[in-house]
């Protein structure tokens, strides 16, 4: 098991696809390098929502995990998101990425079906049971519909292999309670637009999609907040949130890829049924890039 410190800032890694929806290996490698060399991230969160993971086959997921690890080597901490409502696939991927040398695994709460908490707990324990690795719960209720209580999180954290949570929710009361109740658990903020208040509440790091392009500002917010320079951090959060608003208005993942393209990175297309880039979307991305970078 890796003993690398998992704290810090992670980009939720984008994946480059060609116009036919195939993995663009060259582009993916460039995105990894951009995150390491330009955005100066502490780590990469591979296989999450930002990587369009839930539209991929098992073999495609494995290939992305391989490419990311091969390009990053040991330059950066790597967390692999292996969650799926196909539990056998999650178990297979957990073993696969552990063998590749990923520093931790993560799994989204099982979604679509209304699973009971006992079923959710079984899911996590089954994924982690036979691998020598650490698990980060991926809690994102607004997409999964799965809300867990403080006590339920505590039941999961009772497993020594379950060491943290990617907390992508706006419930900062729950976040504060979790930080106070479980001081030794790793908590990662999952909403880029709320990095400052999450840092004030004591998160250990953050995992975000916009960090693929906005990692430098994210670092400034995170470090200034930890130094209690709140007004300075807030000014950068304001700029960051203006950027996020413009990105969301133009199409989240596609616009981040187009911004990377402006930075010289072959970030490619999004996987269908996500929309293809229109001339208007491309033009707006150019405007956004000139405004913020």
């Amino acid at each position: 098991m890796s003993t690398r410190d998992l704290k810090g800032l992670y980009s939720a890694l984008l994946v480059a696809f060609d116009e036919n929806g195939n993995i663009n290996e060259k582009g993916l490698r460039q995105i990894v390098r951009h995150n390491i060399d330009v955005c100066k991230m502490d780590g990469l969160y591979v296989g999450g929502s930002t990587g369009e993971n839930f539209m991929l086959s098992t073999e495609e997921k494995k290939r992305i995990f391989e490419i990311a690890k091969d390009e990053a080597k040991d330059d950066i901490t790597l967390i692999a998101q292996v969650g799926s409502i196909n539990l056998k696939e999650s178990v297979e991927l957990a073993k696969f990425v552990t063998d590749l040398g990923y520093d931790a695994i993560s799994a989204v709460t099982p979604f679509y079906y209304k699973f009971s908490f006992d079923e959710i707990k079984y899911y996590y324990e089954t994924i982690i049971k036979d691998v020598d690795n650490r698990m980060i719960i991926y809690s994102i209720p607004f997409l999964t519909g799965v809300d867990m209580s403080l006590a339920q999180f505590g039941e999961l954290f009772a497993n020594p292999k379950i060491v943290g949570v990617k907390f992508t929710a706006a419930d900062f009361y729950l976040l504060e309670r979790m930080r106070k109740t479980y001081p030794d658990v790793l908590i990662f903020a999952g909403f880029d637009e709320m990095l400052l208040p999450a840092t004030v509440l004591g998160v250990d790091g953050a995992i975000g999609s916009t960090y693929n392009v906005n990692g430098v500002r994210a670092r400034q917010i995170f470090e200034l907040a930890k130094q209690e320079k709140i007004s300075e951090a807030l000014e950068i959060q304001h700029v960051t949130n203006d950027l996020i608003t413009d990105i969301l208005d133009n199409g989240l993942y596609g616009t981040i890829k187009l911004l990377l393209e402006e930075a010289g990175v072959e970030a490619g297309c999004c996987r269908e049924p996500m929309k293809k880039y229109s001339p208007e979307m491309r033009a707006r991305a150019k405007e956004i890039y000139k405004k913020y970078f």
Side-chain angles (χ1 to χ4, degrees):
M1 183 190 296
S2 169
T3 57
R4 193 195 288 248
D5 186 356
L6 297 176
K7 294 179 180 180
L9 298 180
Y10 292 72
S11 282
L13 187 67
L14 289 156
V15 175
F17 298 100
D18 65 23
E19 291 188 352
N20 297 316
N22 301 309
I23 298 165
N24 176 344
E25 179 174 338
K26 179 184 173 187
L28 176 54
R29 288 180 181 276
Q30 288 181 17
I31 296 170
V32 172
R33 290 256 50 99
H34 183 83
N35 273 295
I36 296 171
D37 300 333
V38 178
C39 295
K40 306 294 186 185
M41 289 288 98
D42 297 306
L44 296 175
Y45 187 85
V46 186
S49 313
T50 306
E52 300 167 56
N53 174 76
F54 304 109
M55 298 185 285
L56 304 177
S57 70
T58 306
E59 291 310 309
E60 288 172 323
K61 293 175 186 181
K62 287 181 176 180
R63 187 67 191 127
I64 290 163
F65 287 133
E66 286 177 331
I67 294 167
K69 176 61 179 176
D70 182 65
E71 187 61 41
K73 302 290 193 293
D74 292 321
D75 295 347
I76 200 166
T77 305
L78 295 176
I79 300 175
Q81 197 292 126
V82 300
S84 166
I85 54 172
N86 178 346
L87 182 53
K88 287 187 176 182
E89 180 192 53
S90 295
V91 169
E92 181 180 340
L93 290 175
K95 292 176 180 176
F96 182 78
V97 297
T98 298
D99 289 343
L100 281 177
Y102 273 69
D103 298 288
I105 61 175
S106 182
V108 69
T109 48
F111 51 90
Y112 188 80
Y113 301 103
K114 299 294 184 182
F115 295 104
S116 68
F117 176 71
D118 285 344
E119 290 168 330
I120 292 169
K121 185 178 178 183
Y122 175 81
Y123 162 90
Y124 281 109
E125 291 180 343
T126 301
I127 294 171
I128 198 67
K129 180 177 60 175
D130 293 325
V131 292
D132 187 22
N133 215 329
R134 298 169 285 181
M135 167 68 79
I136 307 292
I137 297 162
Y138 180 13
S139 177
I140 182 165
F142 84 103
L143 287 181
T144 61
V146 179
D147 283 292
M148 291 190 291
S149 68
L150 185 66
Q152 288 172 335
F153 276 112
E155 276 196 54
L156 297 177
F157 297 146
N159 184 322
K161 287 185 173 182
I162 300 178
V163 299
V165 57
K166 180 188 177 190
F167 189 88
T168 309
D171 187 347
F172 276 26
Y173 174 55
L174 177 58
L175 176 59
E176 181 272 337
R177 293 287 84 190
M178 190 181 295
R179 177 73 295 160
K180 182 175 186 295
T181 307
Y182 310 114
D184 297 326
V185 165
L186 292 167
I187 303 176
F188 297 95
F191 273 137
D192 307 11
E193 60 270 36
M194 301 181 197
L195 177 57
L196 173 54
T199 306
V200 170
L201 287 173
V203 295
D204 299 289
I207 300 167
S209 55
T210 63
Y211 302 167
N212 285 273
V213 291
N214 198 48
V216 172
R217 287 193 186 96
R219 173 75 61 196
Q220 292 170 339
I221 294 166
F222 189 60
E223 296 301 335
L224 286 168
K226 289 198 293 183
Q227 295 165 25
E228 299 184 2
K229 297 179 179 178
I230 304 303
S231 60
E232 293 174 50
L234 184 57
E235 287 305 309
I236 302 169
Q237 186 74 68
H238 285 325
V239 176
T240 288
N241 287 6
D242 289 342
L243 168 63
I244 290 171
T245 299
D246 286 343
I247 288 173
L248 291 173
D249 287 345
N250 199 49
L252 177 58
Y253 303 129
T255 301
I256 299 174
K257 289 183 180 184
L258 289 169
L259 293 176
L260 282 170
E261 193 174 279
E262 291 298 309
V265 176
E266 193 177 311
C269 304
C270 292
R271 196 81 181 263
E272 291 181 337
M274 290 189 183
K275 65 183 179 182
K276 295 188 181 299
Y277 307 149
S278 66
E280 294 79 13
M281 185 179 180
R282 288 183 178 276
R284 180 61 183 137
K286 286 180 182 291
E287 292 173 0
I288 294 169
Y289 187 80
K290 286 177 183 176
K291 182 177 178 182
Y292 294 99
F293 299 102

